[in-house]
Coordinates of all heavy atoms in Angstrom, one line a residue:
M1 N 1.5 -11.0 22.2 CA 0.1 -11.0 22.6 C -0.8 -10.7 21.4 O -1.9 -11.3 21.3 CB -0.1 -9.9 23.7 CG -1.4 -9.8 24.2 SD -1.8 -11.2 25.2 CE -3.2 -10.7 26.1
K2 N -0.3 -9.8 20.5 CA -1.1 -9.4 19.4 C -1.3 -10.7 18.4 O -2.4 -10.9 17.9 CB -0.4 -8.3 18.6 CG -1.3 -7.7 17.5 CD -0.5 -6.5 16.9 CE -1.4 -5.8 16.0 NZ -0.8 -4.6 15.4
F3 N -0.2 -11.5 18.3 CA -0.3 -12.7 17.5 C -1.3 -13.6 18.0 O -2.1 -14.2 17.3 CB 1.1 -13.3 17.4 CG 1.1 -14.6 16.6 CD1 1.0 -14.5 15.2 CD2 1.1 -15.8 17.3 CE1 1.0 -15.7 14.5 CE2 1.1 -17.0 16.5 CZ 1.1 -16.9 15.1
I4 N -1.4 -13.8 19.4 CA -2.3 -14.7 20.0 C -3.8 -14.2 19.7 O -4.6 -15.1 19.4 CB -2.1 -14.7 21.5 CG1 -0.7 -15.4 21.8 CG2 -3.2 -15.5 22.2 CD1 -0.3 -15.4 23.2
K5 N -4.0 -12.9 19.7 CA -5.4 -12.4 19.4 C -5.7 -12.7 18.0 O -6.9 -13.1 17.7 CB -5.4 -10.9 19.7 CG -5.4 -10.5 21.1 CD -5.5 -9.0 21.2 CE -5.4 -8.6 22.7 NZ -5.5 -7.1 22.8
I6 N -4.8 -12.6 17.1 CA -5.1 -12.9 15.7 C -5.4 -14.4 15.5 O -6.3 -14.7 14.8 CB -3.9 -12.5 14.8 CG1 -3.7 -10.9 14.8 CG2 -4.0 -13.0 13.4 CD1 -2.5 -10.4 14.1
V7 N -4.6 -15.2 16.1 CA -4.9 -16.7 16.0 C -6.3 -17.0 16.6 O -7.0 -17.8 16.0 CB -3.8 -17.5 16.8 CG1 -4.2 -18.9 16.9 CG2 -2.5 -17.3 16.1
I8 N -6.6 -16.4 17.7 CA -8.0 -16.6 18.3 C -9.1 -16.2 17.4 O -10.1 -16.9 17.2 CB -8.1 -15.9 19.7 CG1 -7.2 -16.6 20.7 CG2 -9.5 -15.9 20.2 CD1 -7.0 -15.9 22.0
V9 N -8.9 -15.0 16.7 CA -9.9 -14.6 15.8 C -10.1 -15.6 14.7 O -11.2 -15.9 14.3 CB -9.5 -13.2 15.2 CG1 -10.4 -12.8 14.0 CG2 -9.6 -12.1 16.3
F10 N -9.0 -16.0 14.1 CA -9.1 -17.0 13.0 C -9.7 -18.3 13.4 O -10.5 -18.9 12.7 CB -7.8 -17.2 12.3 CG -7.4 -16.0 11.4 CD1 -6.3 -15.3 11.7 CD2 -8.2 -15.7 10.3 CE1 -5.9 -14.2 10.9 CE2 -7.8 -14.6 9.5 CZ -6.7 -13.9 9.8
L11 N -9.4 -18.7 14.6 CA -10.0 -20.0 15.1 C -11.5 -19.8 15.3 O -12.3 -20.7 15.0 CB -9.3 -20.4 16.4 CG -7.9 -20.9 16.3 CD1 -7.3 -21.2 17.7 CD2 -7.8 -22.2 15.4
L12 N -11.9 -18.7 15.8 CA -13.3 -18.4 16.0 C -14.0 -18.4 14.6 O -15.1 -18.9 14.5 CB -13.6 -17.1 16.7 CG -13.3 -17.1 18.2 CD1 -13.4 -15.6 18.7 CD2 -14.4 -17.9 18.9
L13 N -13.4 -17.8 13.6 CA -14.0 -17.7 12.3 C -14.1 -19.1 11.7 O -15.1 -19.4 11.0 CB -13.2 -16.8 11.4 CG -13.3 -15.3 11.8 CD1 -12.3 -14.5 10.9 CD2 -14.7 -14.8 11.6
I14 N -13.1 -19.9 11.8 CA -13.2 -21.2 11.3 C -14.3 -22.1 11.9 O -14.9 -22.8 11.3 CB -11.8 -21.9 11.4 CG1 -10.8 -21.2 10.5 CG2 -11.9 -23.4 11.1 CD1 -9.3 -21.6 10.8
S15 N -14.4 -21.9 13.2 CA -15.4 -22.7 13.9 C -16.8 -22.2 13.7 O -17.8 -23.0 14.0 CB -15.1 -22.7 15.4 OG -15.3 -21.4 16.0
C16 N -17.0 -21.0 13.3 CA -18.4 -20.5 13.0 C -18.9 -20.9 11.7 O -18.2 -20.8 10.7 CB -18.4 -19.0 13.1 SG -17.9 -18.3 14.7
K17 N -20.1 -21.4 11.6 CA -20.7 -21.9 10.4 C -22.0 -21.2 10.2 O -22.6 -20.7 11.2 CB -20.9 -23.4 10.4 CG -19.6 -24.1 10.4 CD -19.8 -25.6 10.4 CE -18.4 -26.3 10.5 NZ -18.6 -27.7 10.6
G18 N -22.5 -21.1 9.0 CA -23.8 -20.5 8.7 C -23.7 -19.0 8.6 O -22.6 -18.4 8.3
N19 N -24.8 -18.3 8.8 CA -24.8 -16.9 8.6 C -24.4 -16.2 9.9 O -25.0 -16.4 11.0 CB -26.3 -16.4 8.3 CG -26.7 -16.9 6.9 OD1 -25.9 -17.1 6.1 ND2 -28.0 -17.1 6.7
N20 N -23.3 -15.5 9.8 CA -22.8 -14.8 11.0 C -23.3 -13.4 11.0 O -23.4 -12.7 9.9 CB -21.2 -14.8 10.9 CG -20.7 -16.1 11.1 OD1 -21.1 -16.9 12.0 ND2 -19.6 -16.5 10.4
Q21 N -23.5 -12.8 12.2 CA -23.9 -11.4 12.3 C -22.6 -10.7 12.8 O -22.1 -11.0 13.9 CB -25.0 -11.3 13.3 CG -26.3 -11.9 12.8 CD -27.4 -11.7 13.9 OE1 -27.1 -11.4 15.0 NE2 -28.6 -11.9 13.4
Y22 N -22.2 -9.7 12.0 CA -21.0 -8.9 12.4 C -21.4 -7.6 12.9 O -22.4 -7.0 12.4 CB -20.1 -8.8 11.1 CG -19.6 -10.1 10.5 CD1 -20.3 -10.7 9.5 CD2 -18.5 -10.7 11.0 CE1 -19.9 -11.8 8.9 CE2 -18.0 -11.8 10.4 CZ -18.7 -12.4 9.4 OH -18.3 -13.6 8.8
E23 N -20.6 -7.1 13.8 CA -21.0 -5.7 14.4 C -19.7 -5.0 14.8 O -18.8 -5.6 15.4 CB -21.9 -5.9 15.5 CG -22.4 -4.6 16.1 CD -23.4 -4.8 17.2 OE1 -23.4 -5.9 17.8 OE2 -24.1 -3.9 17.5
V24 N -19.6 -3.8 14.5 CA -18.5 -2.9 15.0 C -19.2 -1.8 15.8 O -20.1 -1.2 15.4 CB -17.7 -2.2 13.9 CG1 -16.7 -1.3 14.4 CG2 -17.1 -3.2 12.9
K25 N -18.7 -1.7 17.1 CA -19.3 -0.7 18.0 C -18.1 0.2 18.5 O -17.0 -0.3 18.7 CB -20.0 -1.4 19.2 CG -21.2 -2.2 18.8 CD -21.8 -2.7 20.0 CE -21.1 -3.9 20.6 NZ -21.8 -4.6 21.7
S26 N -18.5 1.4 18.7 CA -17.5 2.3 19.3 C -17.5 2.1 20.8 O -18.5 1.6 21.4 CB -17.8 3.8 19.0 OG -19.1 4.1 19.5
L27 N -16.4 2.5 21.4 CA -16.2 2.3 22.9 C -15.5 3.5 23.4 O -14.4 3.8 23.0 CB -15.3 1.0 23.1 CG -14.8 0.7 24.5 CD1 -16.0 0.3 25.4 CD2 -13.8 -0.4 24.5
Q28 N -16.1 4.2 24.3 CA -15.5 5.4 24.9 C -14.6 4.9 26.0 O -15.0 4.1 26.9 CB -16.5 6.4 25.5 CG -15.9 7.7 25.8 CD -17.0 8.8 25.9 OE1 -18.2 8.5 26.1 NE2 -16.6 10.0 25.7
V29 N -13.3 5.4 26.0 CA -12.3 5.0 27.0 C -11.7 6.3 27.5 O -12.0 7.4 27.0 CB -11.2 4.1 26.4 CG1 -11.8 2.8 25.9 CG2 -10.5 4.8 25.2
N30 N -10.9 6.2 28.6 CA -10.3 7.4 29.2 C -9.5 8.1 28.1 O -8.6 7.6 27.5 CB -9.4 7.0 30.3 CG -10.2 6.4 31.5 OD1 -11.3 6.7 31.6 ND2 -9.5 5.7 32.4
G31 N -9.9 9.3 27.8 CA -9.1 10.2 26.9 C -9.4 9.9 25.5 O -8.7 10.4 24.6
G32 N -10.4 9.2 25.1 CA -10.7 9.0 23.7 C -11.6 7.8 23.4 O -12.6 7.6 24.1
W33 N -11.4 7.2 22.2 CA -12.3 6.1 21.7 C -11.5 4.9 21.3 O -10.4 4.9 21.0 CB -13.0 6.7 20.5 CG -14.0 7.8 20.9 CD1 -13.7 9.1 20.9 CD2 -15.3 7.7 21.3 NE1 -14.8 9.8 21.3 CE2 -15.8 9.0 21.5 CE3 -16.2 6.6 21.4 CZ2 -17.1 9.2 21.9 CZ3 -17.5 6.9 21.8 CH2 -17.9 8.2 22.0
G34 N -12.3 3.8 21.3 CA -11.8 2.5 20.8 C -12.9 1.8 20.1 O -14.0 2.5 19.8
Y35 N -12.8 0.6 19.8 CA -13.8 -0.1 19.1 C -13.9 -1.6 19.5 O -12.9 -2.1 20.1 CB -13.7 -0.1 17.6 CG -12.5 -0.7 17.0 CD1 -12.4 -2.1 16.7 CD2 -11.3 0.1 16.7 CE1 -11.3 -2.6 16.2 CE2 -10.2 -0.5 16.2 CZ -10.2 -1.9 15.9 OH -9.0 -2.4 15.4
I36 N -15.1 -2.2 19.3 CA -15.3 -3.6 19.6 C -15.8 -4.2 18.4 O -16.7 -3.7 17.7 CB -16.3 -3.8 20.8 CG1 -15.7 -3.3 22.1 CG2 -16.7 -5.3 20.9 CD1 -16.7 -3.2 23.2
I37 N -15.3 -5.4 18.0 CA -15.8 -6.2 16.9 C -16.5 -7.4 17.5 O -15.8 -8.1 18.3 CB -14.8 -6.5 15.9 CG1 -14.2 -5.2 15.2 CG2 -15.3 -7.5 14.8 CD1 -13.1 -5.5 14.3
A38 N -17.7 -7.7 17.1 CA -18.4 -8.9 17.6 C -18.9 -9.7 16.4 O -19.3 -9.1 15.4 CB -19.6 -8.4 18.5
I39 N -18.9 -11.0 16.6 CA -19.5 -11.9 15.7 C -20.5 -12.7 16.4 O -20.2 -13.3 17.5 CB -18.5 -12.8 15.0 CG1 -17.5 -12.0 14.2 CG2 -19.2 -13.8 14.1 CD1 -16.3 -12.8 13.6
N40 N -21.8 -12.7 16.0 CA -22.9 -13.4 16.7 C -23.0 -13.0 18.1 O -23.1 -13.8 19.0 CB -22.7 -14.9 16.5 CG -22.8 -15.3 15.1 OD1 -23.5 -14.7 14.2 ND2 -22.1 -16.4 14.7
N41 N -22.9 -11.7 18.4 CA -23.0 -11.1 19.7 C -21.9 -11.5 20.7 O -22.0 -11.5 21.9 CB -24.3 -11.4 20.4 CG -25.5 -10.7 19.6 OD1 -25.3 -9.6 19.2 ND2 -26.6 -11.4 19.4
R42 N -20.8 -12.0 20.1 CA -19.6 -12.5 20.9 C -18.4 -11.6 20.5 O -18.0 -11.5 19.4 CB -19.3 -13.9 20.6 CG -18.3 -14.5 21.4 CD -18.1 -16.0 21.1 NE -17.5 -16.7 22.1 CZ -17.3 -18.0 22.1 NH1 -17.7 -18.7 21.1 NH2 -16.6 -18.5 23.1
T43 N -17.9 -10.9 21.5 CA -16.8 -10.0 21.3 C -15.5 -10.8 20.9 O -15.1 -11.7 21.6 CB -16.5 -9.1 22.5 OG1 -17.6 -8.3 22.8 CG2 -15.3 -8.2 22.3
I44 N -14.9 -10.4 19.7 CA -13.7 -11.1 19.4 C -12.5 -10.2 19.4 O -11.4 -10.6 19.5 CB -13.8 -11.8 18.0 CG1 -14.2 -10.8 16.9 CG2 -14.9 -12.9 18.0 CD1 -14.0 -11.3 15.5
I45 N -12.8 -8.9 19.3 CA -11.7 -7.9 19.3 C -12.2 -6.7 20.1 O -13.2 -6.1 19.9 CB -11.2 -7.4 17.9 CG1 -10.6 -8.5 17.2 CG2 -10.2 -6.2 18.1 CD1 -10.2 -8.2 15.7
K46 N -11.4 -6.3 21.1 CA -11.6 -5.0 21.9 C -10.3 -4.2 21.8 O -9.3 -4.6 22.4 CB -12.0 -5.4 23.3 CG -12.3 -4.1 24.1 CD -12.6 -4.5 25.6 CE -12.9 -3.3 26.4 NZ -13.2 -3.7 27.8
Q47 N -10.4 -3.2 21.0 CA -9.2 -2.3 20.7 C -9.4 -1.0 21.4 O -10.3 -0.2 21.0 CB -9.0 -2.2 19.2 CG -7.8 -1.5 18.8 CD -6.5 -2.4 19.0 OE1 -6.6 -3.5 18.7 NE2 -5.5 -1.8 19.5
T48 N -8.6 -0.7 22.4 CA -8.7 0.6 23.1 C -7.7 1.6 22.8 O -7.7 2.7 23.3 CB -8.7 0.3 24.6 OG1 -7.5 -0.3 25.0 CG2 -9.9 -0.6 25.0
V49 N -6.7 1.2 22.0 CA -5.6 2.1 21.6 C -5.4 2.0 20.1 O -5.8 1.0 19.5 CB -4.2 1.7 22.3 CG1 -4.3 1.9 23.8 CG2 -3.8 0.3 22.0
I50 N -4.7 3.0 19.5 CA -4.5 3.0 18.1 C -3.4 2.0 17.8 O -2.3 2.0 18.4 CB -4.0 4.4 17.6 CG1 -5.1 5.4 17.9 CG2 -3.7 4.4 16.1 CD1 -4.6 6.9 17.7
P51 N -3.7 1.0 16.9 CA -2.6 0.0 16.6 C -1.5 0.6 15.9 O -1.6 1.6 15.2 CB -3.4 -1.0 15.7 CG -4.7 -0.4 15.4 CD -4.9 0.8 16.2
T52 N -0.3 0.0 16.0 CA 0.9 0.3 15.3 C 1.7 1.5 15.9 O 2.8 1.8 15.6 CB 0.8 0.5 13.8 OG1 0.2 1.8 13.5 CG2 0.1 -0.6 13.2
L53 N 1.0 2.3 16.8 CA 1.8 3.5 17.4 C 2.6 3.0 18.5 O 2.2 2.1 19.3 CB 0.8 4.5 17.9 CG -0.1 5.3 16.9 CD1 -0.9 6.4 17.6 CD2 0.8 5.9 15.8
S54 N 3.8 3.6 18.6 CA 4.7 3.2 19.7 C 4.1 3.6 21.1 O 4.4 2.9 22.1 CB 6.1 3.8 19.5 OG 6.0 5.2 19.4
E55 N 3.4 4.7 21.1 CA 2.8 5.1 22.4 C 1.4 4.6 22.5 O 0.7 4.5 21.4 CB 2.9 6.6 22.6 CG 2.1 7.3 21.4 CD 2.3 8.8 21.5 OE1 3.4 9.3 21.1 OE2 1.4 9.5 22.0
K56 N 0.9 4.3 23.6 CA -0.5 3.8 23.8 C -1.4 5.0 23.9 O -1.5 5.6 25.0 CB -0.6 2.9 25.0 CG 0.2 1.6 24.8 CD 0.0 0.7 26.0 CE 0.8 -0.6 25.7 NZ 0.6 -1.6 26.7
R57 N -2.1 5.2 22.8 CA -3.1 6.3 22.8 C -4.4 5.8 22.2 O -4.3 5.1 21.2 CB -2.6 7.5 21.9 CG -1.4 8.2 22.5 CD -1.0 9.4 21.7 NE -2.1 10.0 21.0 CZ -1.9 10.7 19.9 NH1 -0.8 11.0 19.4 NH2 -3.0 11.2 19.3
S58 N -5.5 6.3 22.7 CA -6.8 5.9 22.1 C -7.0 6.9 20.9 O -6.4 7.9 20.7 CB -7.9 6.0 23.2 OG -7.8 7.3 23.8
F59 N -8.1 6.5 20.1 CA -8.4 7.3 19.0 C -9.0 8.7 19.5 O -9.7 8.7 20.5 CB -9.5 6.6 18.2 CG -9.0 5.4 17.5 CD1 -9.1 4.1 18.1 CD2 -8.4 5.4 16.3 CE1 -8.7 3.0 17.5 CE2 -7.9 4.3 15.6 CZ -8.0 3.1 16.3
N60 N -8.7 9.7 18.7 CA -9.2 11.1 19.1 C -10.7 11.2 19.0 O -11.3 11.9 19.7 CB -8.5 12.1 18.3 CG -7.0 12.3 18.7 OD1 -6.7 12.1 19.8 ND2 -6.2 12.7 17.7
T61 N -11.3 10.5 18.0 CA -12.7 10.7 17.7 C -13.4 9.3 17.5 O -12.7 8.3 17.2 CB -13.0 11.5 16.4 OG1 -12.5 10.7 15.3 CG2 -12.3 12.8 16.4
E62 N -14.6 9.3 17.8 CA -15.4 8.1 17.6 C -15.3 7.6 16.1 O -15.2 6.5 15.8 CB -16.9 8.3 18.0 CG -17.8 7.1 17.9 CD -19.2 7.4 18.3 OE1 -19.6 8.5 18.3 OE2 -19.9 6.4 18.6
E63 N -15.4 8.6 15.2 CA -15.3 8.3 13.8 C -14.0 7.6 13.4 O -14.1 6.7 12.6 CB -15.5 9.6 13.0 CG -15.4 9.5 11.5 CD -15.4 10.8 10.7 OE1 -15.5 11.9 11.3 OE2 -15.3 10.7 9.5
D64 N -12.9 8.1 13.9 CA -11.6 7.4 13.6 C -11.6 6.0 14.1 O -11.2 5.1 13.4 CB -10.5 8.2 14.3 CG -10.1 9.4 13.6 OD1 -10.6 9.7 12.5 OD2 -9.3 10.2 14.1
A65 N -12.1 5.7 15.3 CA -12.2 4.4 15.9 C -13.0 3.5 15.0 O -12.7 2.3 14.7 CB -12.7 4.4 17.3
L66 N -14.2 4.0 14.5 CA -15.1 3.2 13.7 C -14.5 2.9 12.3 O -14.7 1.9 11.7 CB -16.4 3.8 13.6 CG -17.2 3.8 14.9 CD1 -18.5 4.6 14.7 CD2 -17.5 2.4 15.3
K67 N -13.7 3.9 11.8 CA -13.1 3.7 10.5 C -12.1 2.5 10.5 O -12.2 1.6 9.7 CB -12.2 4.9 10.1 CG -13.0 6.1 9.5 CD -12.0 7.1 9.1 CE -12.5 8.5 9.0 NZ -11.4 9.5 8.7
V68 N -11.3 2.5 11.5 CA -10.3 1.4 11.7 C -11.1 0.1 12.0 O -10.8 -1.0 11.4 CB -9.3 1.7 12.7 CG1 -8.4 0.5 13.0 CG2 -8.5 2.9 12.3
G69 N -12.1 0.1 12.9 CA -12.8 -1.1 13.2 C -13.5 -1.7 12.0 O -13.5 -2.9 11.8
N70 N -14.1 -0.8 11.1 CA -14.7 -1.3 9.9 C -13.7 -1.9 9.0 O -14.0 -3.0 8.3 CB -15.5 -0.2 9.2 CG -16.8 0.0 10.0 OD1 -17.6 -0.9 10.3 ND2 -17.1 1.2 10.3
L71 N -12.5 -1.4 8.9 CA -11.5 -2.0 8.0 C -11.1 -3.4 8.5 O -11.0 -4.3 7.8 CB -10.2 -1.1 8.0 CG -9.0 -1.6 7.2 CD1 -9.4 -1.9 5.7 CD2 -7.9 -0.6 7.3
V72 N -10.9 -3.5 9.8 CA -10.5 -4.7 10.5 C -11.6 -5.8 10.2 O -11.4 -6.9 9.8 CB -10.3 -4.6 12.0 CG1 -10.1 -5.9 12.7 CG2 -9.0 -3.7 12.2
L73 N -12.9 -5.4 10.3 CA -14.0 -6.3 10.1 C -14.0 -6.7 8.7 O -14.3 -7.9 8.4 CB -15.3 -5.6 10.5 CG -16.6 -6.5 10.3 CD1 -16.5 -7.8 11.0 CD2 -17.8 -5.7 10.6
E74 N -13.8 -5.8 7.7 CA -13.8 -6.2 6.3 C -12.7 -7.3 6.0 O -12.9 -8.2 5.3 CB -13.7 -5.0 5.4 CG -14.9 -4.2 5.3 CD -16.1 -5.0 4.9 OE1 -16.1 -5.8 3.9 OE2 -17.2 -4.9 5.6
R75 N -11.6 -7.1 6.7 CA -10.5 -8.1 6.5 C -10.9 -9.4 7.1 O -10.6 -10.4 6.5 CB -9.2 -7.5 7.1 CG -8.7 -6.4 6.3 CD -7.4 -5.8 6.9 NE -6.9 -4.8 6.0 CZ -5.8 -4.0 6.3 NH1 -5.2 -4.2 7.5 NH2 -5.4 -3.1 5.5
I76 N -11.5 -9.4 8.2 CA -11.9 -10.6 8.8 C -12.9 -11.4 7.9 O -12.8 -12.6 7.7 CB -12.6 -10.4 10.2 CG1 -11.5 -10.0 11.2 CG2 -13.3 -11.6 10.7 CD1 -12.0 -9.5 12.5
K77 N -13.9 -10.6 7.4 CA -14.9 -11.2 6.5 C -14.3 -11.8 5.2 O -14.8 -12.8 4.7 CB -15.9 -10.2 6.1 CG -16.9 -9.8 7.1 CD -17.8 -8.7 6.6 CE -18.9 -8.2 7.5 NZ -19.7 -7.2 6.9
Q78 N -13.1 -11.3 4.8 CA -12.4 -11.8 3.6 C -11.4 -12.8 4.0 O -10.5 -13.2 3.1 CB -11.8 -10.6 2.9 CG -12.8 -9.6 2.3 CD -12.2 -8.4 1.7 OE1 -11.0 -8.4 1.4 NE2 -12.9 -7.3 1.6
N79 N -11.3 -13.2 5.2 CA -10.3 -14.2 5.7 C -8.9 -13.7 5.5 O -8.0 -14.5 5.2 CB -10.5 -15.6 5.1 CG -11.8 -16.2 5.5 OD1 -12.2 -16.1 6.7 ND2 -12.4 -16.9 4.7
L80 N -8.7 -12.4 5.7 CA -7.4 -11.8 5.7 C -6.9 -11.5 7.1 O -7.7 -11.4 8.0 CB -7.4 -10.5 4.8 CG -7.9 -10.6 3.4 CD1 -8.0 -9.2 2.7 CD2 -6.8 -11.4 2.6
S81 N -5.7 -11.2 7.2 CA -5.1 -10.8 8.5 C -5.8 -9.5 8.9 O -5.7 -8.5 8.1 CB -3.6 -10.7 8.5 OG -3.1 -10.1 9.7
P82 N -6.3 -9.4 10.2 CA -6.9 -8.1 10.6 C -5.8 -7.1 11.1 O -6.2 -6.0 11.5 CB -7.7 -8.5 11.8 CG -7.1 -9.7 12.3 CD -6.4 -10.4 11.1
T83 N -4.6 -7.4 10.9 CA -3.5 -6.5 11.3 C -3.6 -5.1 10.6 O -3.8 -5.0 9.4 CB -2.1 -7.1 11.1 OG1 -2.1 -8.4 11.8 CG2 -1.0 -6.2 11.6
I84 N -3.4 -4.0 11.4 CA -3.4 -2.7 10.8 C -1.9 -2.2 10.8 O -1.2 -2.3 11.7 CB -4.2 -1.7 11.7 CG1 -5.7 -2.2 11.7 CG2 -4.1 -0.3 11.3 CD1 -6.4 -2.1 10.4
A85 N -1.6 -1.6 9.6 CA -0.3 -1.0 9.4 C -0.4 0.5 9.5 O -1.4 1.1 9.4 CB 0.3 -1.5 8.1
K86 N 0.8 1.1 9.6 CA 0.8 2.6 9.7 C 0.2 3.2 8.4 O -0.5 4.2 8.4 CB 2.2 3.1 9.9 CG 2.7 2.9 11.3 CD 4.1 3.5 11.5 CE 4.5 3.3 13.0 NZ 5.8 3.8 13.2
N87 N 0.5 2.5 7.3 CA 0.0 3.0 6.0 C -1.6 3.0 6.0 O -2.2 3.9 5.4 CB 0.5 2.2 4.8 CG 0.2 2.8 3.5 OD1 0.5 4.0 3.3 ND2 -0.3 2.1 2.6
D88 N -2.2 2.0 6.7 CA -3.7 2.0 6.8 C -4.2 3.2 7.5 O -5.2 3.8 7.1 CB -4.1 0.7 7.5 CG -3.8 -0.6 6.8 OD1 -4.0 -0.6 5.5 OD2 -3.4 -1.5 7.4
L89 N -3.5 3.6 8.6 CA -3.9 4.8 9.3 C -3.8 6.1 8.5 O -4.6 6.9 8.5 CB -3.0 4.9 10.6 CG -3.1 3.8 11.6 CD1 -2.2 4.1 12.8 CD2 -4.5 3.6 12.1
I90 N -2.7 6.1 7.6 CA -2.5 7.3 6.8 C -3.7 7.3 5.7 O -4.3 8.4 5.5 CB -1.2 7.2 6.1 CG1 -0.1 7.4 7.1 CG2 -1.1 8.3 5.0 CD1 1.3 7.1 6.7
L91 N -3.9 6.2 5.1 CA -5.0 6.1 4.1 C -6.4 6.5 4.6 O -7.2 7.1 3.9 CB -5.0 4.8 3.4 CG -3.8 4.4 2.5 CD1 -3.8 3.0 2.1 CD2 -3.7 5.4 1.3
L92 N -6.6 6.1 5.9 CA -7.9 6.4 6.5 C -7.9 7.8 7.1 O -9.0 8.2 7.7 CB -8.2 5.3 7.6 CG -8.5 3.9 7.1 CD1 -8.6 3.0 8.3 CD2 -9.8 3.9 6.3
E93 N -6.8 8.5 7.0 CA -6.7 9.8 7.6 C -7.0 9.9 9.1 O -7.8 10.7 9.5 CB -7.6 10.8 6.8 CG -7.2 10.9 5.3 CD -8.0 11.8 4.5 OE1 -9.1 12.3 5.0 OE2 -7.6 12.1 3.4
I94 N -6.4 9.0 9.8 CA -6.6 8.9 11.3 C -5.7 9.9 11.9 O -4.5 9.9 11.7 CB -6.3 7.5 11.8 CG1 -7.2 6.4 11.1 CG2 -6.5 7.4 13.3 CD1 -8.6 6.6 11.3
S95 N -6.3 10.8 12.7 CA -5.6 11.8 13.4 C -4.8 11.2 14.6 O -5.4 10.4 15.3 CB -6.5 13.0 13.9 OG -7.5 12.5 14.7
K96 N -3.6 11.6 14.8 CA -2.8 11.0 15.9 C -2.6 12.0 17.0 O -2.6 13.2 16.8 CB -1.5 10.5 15.3 CG -1.6 9.5 14.3 CD -0.3 9.1 13.7 CE -0.5 8.3 12.4 NZ 0.7 8.1 11.7

């Protein structure tokens, strides 16, 4: 499922031309936080759990969710894979 989301993101990016408007927004979910990434007011990623963790848990703080969301967005802008690794969470000091 995650691979399909990545493919969809890249297809959307390829099909978009001109000046794109990027946005990362926090999303309050049961027991914590997540994030939404939108391009031209169109949601392309809705992440409600911390990626790479074996258990499904949301971010403890809004700040943590936005840190990861902004990293994913920067990767998308650079045409890199938006996948998050455990090392990324460590470098961003995301509390688990």
Side-chain angles (χ1 to χ4, degrees):
M1 184 68 166
K2 189 174 188 178
F3 178 74
I4 293 171
K5 288 181 181 178
I6 292 171
V7 171
I8 290 172
V9 167
F10 283 117
L11 290 175
L12 283 171
L13 290 174
I14 291 169
S15 66
C16 295
K17 296 180 180 176
N19 293 333
N20 292 318
Q21 293 180 343
Y22 300 95
E23 184 177 22
V24 178
K25 297 185 280 189
S26 60
L27 171 69
Q28 194 162 20
V29 295
N30 291 339
W33 293 88
Y35 63 86
I36 294 173
I37 295 178
I39 299 177
N40 298 328
N41 295 318
R42 188 177 197 176
T43 298
I44 59 166
I45 296 176
K46 181 179 179 182
Q47 187 72 42
T48 59
V49 296
I50 301 173
T52 74
L53 294 185
S54 56
E55 60 187 78
K56 294 185 178 186
R57 291 185 28 201
S58 52
F59 293 94
N60 290 329
T61 67
E62 181 179 22
E63 179 184 358
D64 283 352
L66 290 173
K67 282 185 203 175
V68 175
N70 282 311
L71 175 60
V72 171
L73 179 58
E74 285 307 311
R75 290 181 177 172
I76 290 170
K77 286 179 178 179
Q78 296 172 20
N79 291 323
L80 299 173
S81 171
T83 304
I84 296 295
K86 286 184 180 181
N87 193 49
D88 294 320
L89 298 177
I90 293 167
L91 292 173
L92 291 173
E93 300 178 349
I94 302 301
S95 56
K96 299 176 193 170

